[in-house]
Amino acid sequence: MDLSLTPEHADLRQLARNFADDEIAPHAAEWDRRESLDLDLIPRMGELGFLGLTIPEEHGGSGGDHLAYYLVLEELGRADSSVRGVVSVSLGLVAATIARHGTPEQHQRWLPALCSGRALGCFALTEPGTGSDAGALTTRAVRDGDDWLITGAKTFITNGTWADVALLLARTSDDGSRGITAFLVPTASAGFHRREINGKLGLRAQATAELHLDGVRVPDTARLGEVGRGFPLAMSALGKGRVSVAAGCVGIAQASLDAALRYAGERHQFGKAIAGHQLVQRLLATTAVDTAAARLLVWQAADLLDRGQPHETAASMAKLFASEAAVRAADNAVQVFGGYGYVDEYPVSRYLRDARVTTLYEGTSQIQQLVIGRSLTGVAAFS
């Protein structure tokens, strides 16, 4: 088993690291305070190929495998988890799903713009009354000749107020999860309304929105995949998306470790640097182990994906462990910083705030435990 990176992977990671250090990290605190990142950043990431990873070049993407994609997400997450979230959703959930399930016309219309950063996508699944129980969604699409009329509401939608297209899940029959269909809905459509959600605990620099659709009309050519097959399409996208979140969590954990190590070497108490105190070293050592273990789980899931092997359980393991590890890492970093860790003059309080939501979205930690448990026992414990 060889866990070393190829020269191509190493070069890409260094490119992403340099970009994150130069173009993202210096602005992250300001973006967090004003609750919005600089949108000029999006096309710059497109120029570097970050928004087209895993998408075939003939569709406007930059190619590459899943490991390459997750290496980039780790570096973006290390600098600012909000930026990582923008990429994870627009590329990982939207563009990659269009590439896999879309028609040639849908490929041509959306993928070059998404991969270049000229457009952004959002993934409109969660509703005010349905979170983990996504199969119970109530947004409805009704056939009207060659068109569909979509009415309903979505909430907690990343990129919602910035997106040009929403990959939206709507009910087309009352047959439970088998009655859900996916659509590509231009956000400029008549009857499509969106409102940004402010005052979040973390991920403040990325747009999170409520969407309201009042009889939005789309042609049948906007349907993504078969009628009634939207739920498995969405679950497949989220399965890979969980690894994206995990990769970003590795970045948060690494950033927390780096910050804690620097501060522990600079801060003196009781006549020496606090790095020389046993219990501080315990915090640092625990964080280092968590970070390394989370990274290996991400790489394992990436390897399975790139070899076309079953990856769902590995993805849930990576997401469960990495998200919880990121929270622990950031909390440990705040502890090392002491009182200074509680103010936003230092980045560790932002790391903790940003990490916390990763245990909730794209499947809570409890849902990941149920997925893993079902894989181990063969028994579904969802109901």
Side-chain angles (χ1 to χ4, degrees), residues 264-288:
E266 297 166 357
R267 175 72 167 173
H268 284 69
Q269 292 284 279
F270 303 104
K272 64 179 179 179
I274 63 173
H277 294 291
Q278 290 180 351
L279 294 182
V280 172
Q281 288 195 4
R282 179 184 179 185
L283 293 170
L284 297 173
T286 299
T287 301

Side-chain angles (χ1 to χ4, degrees), residues 129-148:
T130 59
S132 296
D133 188 13
L137 63 83
T138 60
T139 295
R140 186 167 290 272
V142 177
R143 195 68 184 259
D144 183 34
D146 293 332
D147 297 338
W148 295 86

Side-chain angles (χ1 to χ4, degrees), residues 67-156:
L67 178 58
Y69 173 44
Y70 298 139
L71 290 171
V72 169
L73 290 184
E74 178 184 335
E75 295 304 323
L76 298 180
R78 183 178 58 83
D80 188 344
S81 195
S82 289
V83 177
R84 190 278 311 160
V86 171
V87 176
S88 288
V89 170
S90 190
L91 169 55
L93 294 183
V94 179
T97 305
I98 295 172
R100 172 169 292 205
H101 298 283
T103 64
E105 292 75 18
Q106 290 168 341
H107 291 166
Q108 183 177 8
R109 179 175 183 183
W110 294 115
L111 291 181
L114 291 170
C115 293
S116 66
R118 291 184 285 109
L120 280 176
C122 67
F123 189 78
L125 174 63
T126 300
E127 297 185 356
T130 59
S132 296
D133 188 13
L137 63 83
T138 60
T139 295
R140 186 167 290 272
V142 177
R143 195 68 184 259
D144 183 34
D146 293 332
D147 297 338
W148 295 86
L149 295 177
I150 305 175
T151 299
K154 303 289 182 178
T155 194
F156 301 130

Side-chain angles (χ1 to χ4, degrees), residues 16-257:
R17 182 170 297 170
N18 292 342
F19 180 81
D21 288 342
D22 296 339
E23 302 291 332
I24 299 176
H27 309 289
E30 175 193 350
W31 294 341
D32 179 71
R33 291 175 187 136
R34 77 182 193 197
E35 298 192 48
S36 181
L37 58 83
D38 181 358
L39 289 178
D40 289 341
L41 187 75
I42 307 303
R44 295 207 296 273
M45 290 193 291
E47 291 172 2
L48 293 173
F50 296 164
L51 293 172
L53 287 166
T54 75
I55 306 297
E57 293 181 12
E58 60 265 30
H59 296 326
S62 47
D65 57 15
H66 287 87
L67 178 58
Y69 173 44
Y70 298 139
L71 290 171
V72 169
L73 290 184
E74 178 184 335
E75 295 304 323
L76 298 180
R78 183 178 58 83
D80 188 344
S81 195
S82 289
V83 177
R84 190 278 311 160
V86 171
V87 176
S88 288
V89 170
S90 190
L91 169 55
L93 294 183
V94 179
T97 305
I98 295 172
R100 172 169 292 205
H101 298 283
T103 64
E105 292 75 18
Q106 290 168 341
H107 291 166
Q108 183 177 8
R109 179 175 183 183
W110 294 115
L111 291 181
L114 291 170
C115 293
S116 66
R118 291 184 285 109
L120 280 176
C122 67
F123 189 78
L125 174 63
T126 300
E127 297 185 356
T130 59
S132 296
D133 188 13
L137 63 83
T138 60
T139 295
R140 186 167 290 272
V142 177
R143 195 68 184 259
D144 183 34
D146 293 332
D147 297 338
W148 295 86
L149 295 177
I150 305 175
T151 299
K154 303 289 182 178
T155 194
F156 301 130
I157 307 303
T158 300
N159 296 345
T161 52
W162 296 339
D164 301 273
V165 60
L167 198 170
L168 184 139
L169 284 301
R171 181 163 300 287
T172 49
S173 79
D174 294 322
D175 192 18
S177 63
R178 291 182 292 276
I180 295 171
T181 302
F183 298 89
L184 296 173
V185 183
T187 57
S189 301
F192 193 108
H193 308 287
R194 40 194 177 170
R195 184 187 72 83
E196 188 161 348
I197 298 172
N198 294 311
K200 296 174 295 186
L201 176 67
L203 298 183
R204 292 181 175 179
Q206 71 181 30
T208 305
E210 294 177 351
L211 308 180
H212 295 273
L213 295 91
D214 184 12
V216 174
R217 181 178 293 273
V218 296
D220 189 54
T221 55
R223 175 171 45 82
L224 184 63
E226 300 176 13
V227 173
R229 294 293 297 167
F231 189 76
L233 179 151
M235 293 303 103
S236 175
L238 289 173
K240 295 180 180 179
R242 286 166 180 165
V243 192
S244 303
V245 174
C249 287
V250 175
I252 295 174
Q254 186 65 58
S256 299
L257 177 61

